[in-house]
Amino acid sequence: SGVQITRLDQMKVSRVPNILTALVFLASLMTSFALWNYAQRSADNELQAEFDFHAHEMIDDINQRMATYVQVLFGVRALFTGTESVTQNQFSTYISSLRLQEQYPGIQGLSHAPLITHAEKSAHIAKMRKQGFADYSIKPPGEREHYTPVVYIEPFSERNSEALGYDTYFEAERHAAMVQARDSDRASVTGKLTLVQETDEEVQSGFLVFLPLYREDMPHATVEQRRHSIYGWVTAVFRMGDLVSHLVDARSNQLVLAIYDGDHISDQTRMYASDDQVDPTTPYNPRFHSIERIQISDRVWTIVIQSTPQFESSFSNNTPIVVAITGAAFTLLITLLAHALVRSNRMASELAESEERWRFALEGAGDG
C-alpha cells in the first residue's frame, strides 16, 4: 500500500512539469495575442484616418471648385451690369479672357439666354440670322408665351454650338431652376440633366447653374419686383465627368467616387461614378466608405467614396504581421525554455533522490 501511494505521488509530481509548461505557453500566447490585437486595431485606425483624410480632401475639392465656378458666373453677370445690349463679340472676348480650359477646367461653357415674348420671337430670329447664323431658330419649335433661347455660348465649339437657339425655359428641370434663380436672385442649380451638347460619343450626365439678369432701371428687391424686372439669365454648363475627372485621375488607384443628385442613392440619381478601376468580374467589398451630403448653391449632392484594394494595400501597416510573427517566435522560445528549465529541475530532483536512496542503501549495508 505504501508503495502504491508512492507511485501515485510520483505520477502526480511527473505531471507538474507538463502543467507548468502548458501554463507558460498559454500565458505567452495570450500576451502575444493581446499585443497583436492592439497592433491590428492601431493599424486599422491609422488606415481609417488615412481614408478619411483623402475622402474629406476630395469633398473639399468639389466644394471649393463649385464655389469658384459660381463666382465665375457672377463675373459674367457683371459684364451685363449697366447694359442689356452686350454684343456677341463683347461676350466672346470676355469669356476668352477667362481662359476657361486653363484656369477653370470642367466648365463646358458659359452662355446667355434673354427672355423673349411670343410677340418678339420673329424679330429676334431675324436679328440672329442677320448676325451670321443663317439657320438660327428657336428650338424646340412651337408657340409659347415666353422663350429663353441661348444666343451666346462660349467657347463656341462644335459641341456647344448644338445649344444655340435652345429654349431653356421649355424643359421642366431647367425651367424650375431658372424660376428659383429669378425669385431668389441667387445661383440656382438644376438636377441631373442630359445636355443639349451631348452626342452619341462619351455621353455624360450634366447640370446647369443659372444667375438672373435684372433691368437696371427697375427695382428687384422683392420677388414680385424680380419677376417684372427679369430680362434674361447667364448660365454655366457642366458635364459631370469632365468636372470631376481631375479629382479621380489624381486618386484613380485609391478611391472610388460616386455623385448623386439629391438625398437618394439610386441609378436614376447617379450623376457620376468612377468605378472603372474596380474589376467588375471580381466581387469586392470595400473596407472603408463614406457617405456625405454637400450643398451646391441651392442643390444637395450625395457624395459616396469607397476605398479600393490598391488603397488598402498601399497604405496598409505591416506592424500586426511583424507582431504576430514575433509573438509566435517568443511563445515558442519561452515555452521551450520553460520546458527545458522544468525538465532540468526534474532531472536534478530525480538525481538527488537517487543519490539519497544509494546513500541509505549503503548505510544500511554497513549497519548489517
Side-chain angles (χ1 to χ4, degrees):
S1 176
V3 174
Q4 290 179 350
I5 293 174
T6 301
R7 287 179 178 176
L8 288 173
D9 291 340
Q10 288 177 346
M11 290 175 65
K12 291 179 181 179
V13 171
S14 66
R15 293 196 189 107
V16 171
N18 293 332
I19 295 174
L20 291 176
T21 301
L23 290 175
V24 170
F25 171 77
L26 289 175
S28 59
L29 185 63
M30 291 176 64
T31 302
S32 298
F33 175 79
L35 293 173
W36 170 83
N37 188 52
Y38 175 78
Q40 185 64 53
R41 284 188 286 108
S42 297
D44 288 343
N45 291 337
E46 183 179 335
L47 192 57
Q48 179 72 63
E50 193 72 36
F51 171 81
D52 291 341
F53 171 79
H54 286 280
H56 290 153
E57 185 180 49
M58 182 176 282
I59 291 172
D60 288 343
D61 283 348
I62 295 173
N63 270 317
Q64 291 173 10
R65 174 172 264 213
M66 287 308 304
T68 299
Y69 291 171
V70 170
Q71 289 304 310
V72 170
L73 194 58
F74 272 97
V76 177
R77 183 164 84 163
L79 177 66
F80 289 82
T81 301
T83 178
E84 298 176 24
S85 58
V86 174
T87 66
Q88 168 69 41
N89 186 60
Q90 289 172 330
F91 188 84
S92 177
T93 300
Y94 176 79
I95 302 304
S96 295
S97 71
L98 295 177
R99 296 186 296 173
L100 293 180
Q101 299 304 315
E102 299 174 32
Q103 302 297 325
Y104 308 100
I107 295 182
Q108 174 63 30
L110 294 166
S111 66
H112 166 52
L115 180 64
I116 297 171
T117 64
H118 178 69
E120 298 169 327
K121 178 182 178 182
S122 297
H124 167 75
I125 293 175
K127 179 182 177 180
M128 291 296 294
R129 290 178 177 178
K130 187 177 180 179
Q131 291 178 357
F133 302 102
D135 298 326
Y136 177 86
S137 63
I138 296 178
K139 49 192 180 184
E143 301 300 317
R144 297 182 284 278
E145 183 179 358
H146 292 95
Y147 307 86
T148 57
V150 174
V151 296
Y152 304 154
I153 184 165
E154 295 292 337
F156 197 67
S157 60
E158 181 179 357
R159 186 184 290 273
N160 278 341
S161 66
E162 295 293 324
L164 190 67
Y166 181 76
D167 180 12
T168 54
Y169 219 50
F170 174 77
E171 191 272 324
E173 184 68 42
R174 292 170 173 83
H175 181 92
M178 295 172 79
V179 169
Q180 176 65 23
R182 178 199 66 191
D183 290 352
S184 65
D185 191 15
R186 295 180 179 178
S188 183
V189 182
T190 68
K192 176 184 176 182
L193 296 174
T194 298
L195 300 176
V196 179
Q197 288 91 328
E198 287 301 329
T199 62
D200 294 335
E201 299 180 1
E202 299 181 7
V203 177
Q204 300 178 13
S205 296
F207 66 97
L208 306 174
V209 183
F210 292 101
L211 265 182
L213 299 173
Y214 304 108
R215 291 184 174 87
E216 292 293 323
D217 59 348
M218 297 179 66
H220 52 272
T222 67
V223 172
E224 193 63 29
Q225 290 173 343
R226 292 168 192 151
R227 291 175 179 176
H228 283 90
S229 62
I230 186 79
Y231 75 89
W233 287 261
V234 289
T235 310
V237 183
F238 297 92
R239 299 176 79 217
M240 204 68 191
D242 296 342
L243 175 65
V244 299
S245 60
H246 84 294
L247 301 176
V248 176
D249 291 344
R251 305 170 176 87
S252 59
N253 292 324
Q254 298 178 4
L255 303 176
V256 172
L257 169 68
I259 300 177
Y260 297 85
D261 177 32
D263 293 317
H264 303 292
I265 297 175
S266 68
D267 291 340
Q268 290 71 35
T269 61
R270 185 171 60 241
M271 302 173 72
Y272 178 82
S274 64
D275 54 3
D276 293 340
Q277 64 267 34
V278 178
D279 185 356
T281 63
T282 304
Y284 174 67
N285 185 27
R287 288 181 62 187
F288 306 101
H289 75 279
S290 168
I291 300 176
E292 189 163 338
R293 289 168 177 83
I294 63 175
Q295 193 80 27
I296 305 297
S297 293
D298 60 344
R299 197 80 186 179
V300 172
W301 286 355
T302 299
I303 312 294
V304 178
I305 301 176
Q306 297 177 336
S307 61
T308 64
Q310 293 87 344
F311 171 87
E312 294 165 16
S313 61
S314 63
F315 289 98
S316 62
N317 190 330
N318 293 325
T319 301
I321 298 176
V322 174
V323 170
I325 295 174
T326 303
F330 171 78
T331 299
L332 179 61
L333 179 63
I334 200 70
T335 301
L336 291 175
L337 180 61
H339 179 72
L341 288 174
V342 170
R343 184 178 180 183
S344 176
N345 288 336
R346 186 176 65 181
M347 291 178 64
S349 177
E350 290 176 350
L351 181 60
E353 290 177 1
S354 178
E355 290 178 350
E356 186 70 16
R357 285 196 298 270
W358 274 103
R359 186 172 66 82
F360 285 140
L362 291 174
E363 289 178 354
D367 293 339

